[in-house]
Amino acid sequence: VTLWRGVVPTVTRGAVVSTTQLATYDQAKTVLKSSGVSEGVTLHLASSLISGFVYCFTSLPLDICKTRMQDQKLGPDGKLPYKNILQALVKIPQQEGILALWKGFGAYFARGGGHTVGMFIFAEQYKTIVKNFYSSNK
């Protein structure tokens, strides 16, 4: 049982990360293009920064719950402090304040936002290279 402790919050967090990264990147690109930002690295950088921020803001509370659930020890009463991710999402702010769910946001954004920027800029540059390669070989 200990091996699987935290698997549900880990999978939940992963789903939130993937969903928010992909959806917000494409949406940000669309909005920025319609406001006059032309296709290119500037558009990709701005869109990926927005995506990275949204991903970090939405997933950090789940990451905090996941980490606490994986690291929890039996209390004096013989019970674990957190039963599930929803209970942890309620209990942590009740005991420590709502901002406890975003402790360490700066470091988290530096890592997660940096990864998002690198990932999307690489993907866009790769798509351009592949598109140019196949269009020149016709």
Side-chain angles (χ1 to χ4, degrees):
V1 175
T2 303
L3 176 65
W4 296 100
R5 185 183 308 148
V7 73
V8 171
T10 301
V11 171
T12 303
R13 178 202 168 273
V16 167
V17 166
S18 297
T19 303
T20 56
Q21 275 182 324
L22 296 172
T24 58
Y25 179 75
D26 287 337
Q27 186 64 38
K29 264 181 68 176
T30 301
V31 169
L32 291 171
K33 273 184 179 178
S34 70
S35 65
V37 180
S38 58
E39 183 68 40
V41 176
T42 302
L43 175 66
H44 305 154
L45 176 63
S47 300
S48 59
L49 279 170
I50 291 167
S51 176
F53 179 84
V54 173
Y55 135 53
C56 290
F57 185 80
T58 57
S59 70
L60 184 54
L62 300 172
D63 203 44
I64 286 175
C65 292
K66 170 189 77 80
T67 301
R68 294 215 188 165
M69 289 180 73
Q70 289 173 331
D71 194 40
Q72 64 186 330
K73 308 283 186 268
L74 292 174
D77 60 357
K79 295 181 181 177
L80 293 173
Y82 308 110
K83 296 177 183 153
N84 57 55
I85 195 165
L86 292 176
Q87 188 237 10
L89 281 168
V90 171
K91 191 173 185 178
I92 293 169
Q94 283 176 342
Q95 293 177 341
E96 303 171 41
I98 191 73
L99 294 180
L101 293 173
W102 288 276
K103 277 184 190 171
F105 183 82
Y108 191 71
F109 180 65
R111 182 186 65 80
H115 170 265
T116 302
V117 168
M119 176 183 68
F120 281 120
I121 287 179
F122 174 82
E124 292 287 357
Q125 294 304 307
Y126 183 75
K127 283 192 316 191
T128 301
I129 290 167
V130 169
K131 184 173 138 185
N132 290 341
F133 175 78
Y134 283 109
S135 66
S136 67
N137 287 330
K138 287 185 176 184

